[in-house]
Amino acid sequence: MILLDGKKTSNDIKDEIAVKVQELKAAGKKTPHLAAVIVGNNGASLTYVNAKVKACERVGFDSTLIKLPETITEEELLSKIEELNKSTEVDGFIVQLPLPAHIDEHKVTLAISPYKDVDGFHPENLGRMVLDLPTFLPATPYGIVQLLDRYDIETSGKNCVVIGRSHIVGSPMSILMSRNNKVGNCTVTLTHSRTKNLKDITKEADIIIVALGKAEFLTADMVKDGVVVVDVGITRVDDPSKKSGFRLLGDVKFDEVAPKCSHITPVPGGVGPMTIASLMMNTLQAIENRN
Ligand code: NAD
């Protein structure tokens, strides 16, 4: 069994980006600038956003963290987004999800300029992805594609099962795995909460991408020997033995599934760091597009 090490791979990608940033700076060009907007004080969201800002520092990007109160109105948030759309300083930005219930996430996603949408959630960018045109790929699926690519996982002609059909992970992932690309050319089955006999489907899979947000959902009896498993799930469970008071669990029962796998991602240290690396790649792409 080979561990798909997202931490190491994301560090390799960040090293490559850092070199490109140095080249831009040496040529007197603008330093890439990523802004992140966070609304409220959700602990997990704050952790993710801080990790993104830290990654910017690591690769030499400029970064701005915009913290807005939970009580901000939708109109105020939209006007902040308009400001970022128009900014000549900021090349790309993200609005960390989830947002408070009184704010319409779809409206927010639509308000972000597709040229600065480095999370790749705007319908225009998702549409370009479907058409295989240059775009910002959604950060998590893009990270998974990078990981499979850099570990030279053969995907062509394989049966790939995606569990979960969210707009940010499962659905785009299913499209990317079916495209005619080096990582792609799979026969994809997209499964979800209404899928019947899931185990019969996963047992036929050569590659399983699990993104449903239920800790340790995928068990050993659901997979065949030699499968490639990508675990997207992140669930915080209380753990008084940890300084933070919690630990992270994936959607895969790692200890029993891993021995059956040819390759598997750990949680943490798998897909999470790759998502951040993709965001850095998209931001670099944003400034290259502008230049
Ligand atoms: P979501 O919560 O929006 O959607 C969950 C999906 O799972 C739904 O499409 C639902 O139909 C499906 N589902 C629920 N129960 C099911 C069942 N019994 N069988 C099959 N499908 C079922 O999901 P999301 O936003 O994609 O997040 C999924 C998980 O991935 C969460 O734990 C989230 O924290 C994590 N996540 C991690 C990263 C990362 O960078 N590692 C990024 C995004 C999300």
Side-chain angles (χ1 to χ4, degrees):
M1 182 273 292
I2 295 171
L3 210 57
L4 296 170
D5 187 342
K7 201 167 170 196
K8 181 196 173 295
T9 310
S10 78
N11 278 330
D12 293 346
I13 292 172
K14 284 187 245 171
D15 287 343
E16 292 160 17
I17 294 175
V19 170
K20 288 188 181 152
V21 173
Q22 282 313 317
E23 285 169 4
L24 283 175
K25 287 182 180 172
K29 300 230 173 92
K30 183 181 175 304
T31 302
H33 186 159
L34 175 73
V37 179
I38 179 153
V39 181
N41 286 310
N42 177 302
S45 293
L46 282 166
T47 307
Y48 299 146
V49 161
N50 286 330
K52 289 167 188 176
V53 170
K54 218 170 121 199
C56 286
E57 285 164 15
R58 159 94 152 73
V59 300
F61 288 177
D62 290 334
S63 65
T64 306
L65 179 57
I66 302 164
K67 284 187 178 166
L68 301 172
E70 184 92 22
T71 50
I72 192 167
T73 65
E74 188 178 275
E75 206 183 340
E76 285 165 334
L77 178 59
L78 291 174
S79 101
K80 181 46 99 183
I81 288 171
E82 198 41 39
E83 205 181 289
L84 289 167
N85 283 341
K86 287 186 180 144
S87 163
T88 50
E89 268 309 303
V90 171
D91 302 295
F93 67 98
I94 60 154
V95 178
Q96 185 68 41
L97 301 178
L99 291 167
H102 66 278
I103 297 175
D104 182 343
E105 274 184 15
H106 284 297
K107 251 193 206 171
V108 169
T109 304
L110 273 172
I112 297 171
S113 160
Y115 301 102
K116 294 193 177 183
D117 167 43
V118 285
D119 250 341
F121 295 163
H122 191 282
E124 184 172 322
N125 286 323
L126 286 173
R128 293 179 69 88
M129 176 192 76
V130 175
L131 296 172
D132 221 346
L133 294 168
T135 184
F136 298 120
L137 293 178
T140 301
Y142 188 16
I144 294 170
V145 167
Q146 282 291 321
L147 196 57
L148 297 174
D149 188 18
R150 285 172 184 247
Y151 274 87
D152 266 327
I153 306 279
E154 181 57 76
T155 59
S156 181
K158 304 286 182 189
N159 282 337
C160 174
V161 173
V162 179
I163 307 181
R165 60 178 161 189
S166 73
H167 295 149
I168 61 168
V169 187
S171 291
M173 199 66 240
S174 70
I175 292 164
L176 291 174
M177 294 307 283
S178 64
R179 292 199 314 187
N180 185 6
N181 275 340
K182 181 177 171 237
V183 173
N185 286 310
C186 287
T187 305
V188 178
T189 308
L190 179 58
T191 65
H192 45 77
S193 53
R194 303 284 179 96
T195 297
K196 290 190 178 130
N197 307 323
L198 181 65
K199 188 171 153 183
D200 294 343
I201 299 168
T202 53
K203 281 199 85 141
E204 294 299 313
D206 305 304
I207 301 168
I208 308 180
I209 298 167
V210 201
L212 78 162
K214 290 188 177 160
E216 301 188 321
F217 176 86
L218 191 82
T219 46
D221 58 323
M222 296 172 76
V223 306
K224 70 176 182 187
D225 284 327
V227 66
V228 176
V229 171
V230 176
D231 187 353
V232 184
I234 304 174
T235 303
R236 284 183 173 201
V237 292
D238 291 341
D239 186 344
S241 73
K242 299 268 175 196
K243 209 169 118 197
S244 60
F246 66 84
R247 69 197 157 98
L248 301 180
L249 284 181
D251 285 349
V252 177
K253 200 155 189 170
F254 187 89
D255 289 348
E256 62 174 59
V257 173
K260 294 183 85 174
C261 294
S262 72
H263 299 78
I264 184 168
T265 60
V267 175
V271 175
M274 291 306 297
T275 298
I276 294 179
S278 310
L279 193 60
M280 300 298 116
M281 287 194 287
N282 278 343
T283 305
L284 189 65
Q285 187 61 53
I287 195 164
E288 282 170 1
N289 293 350
R290 275 179 79 177
N291 288 339

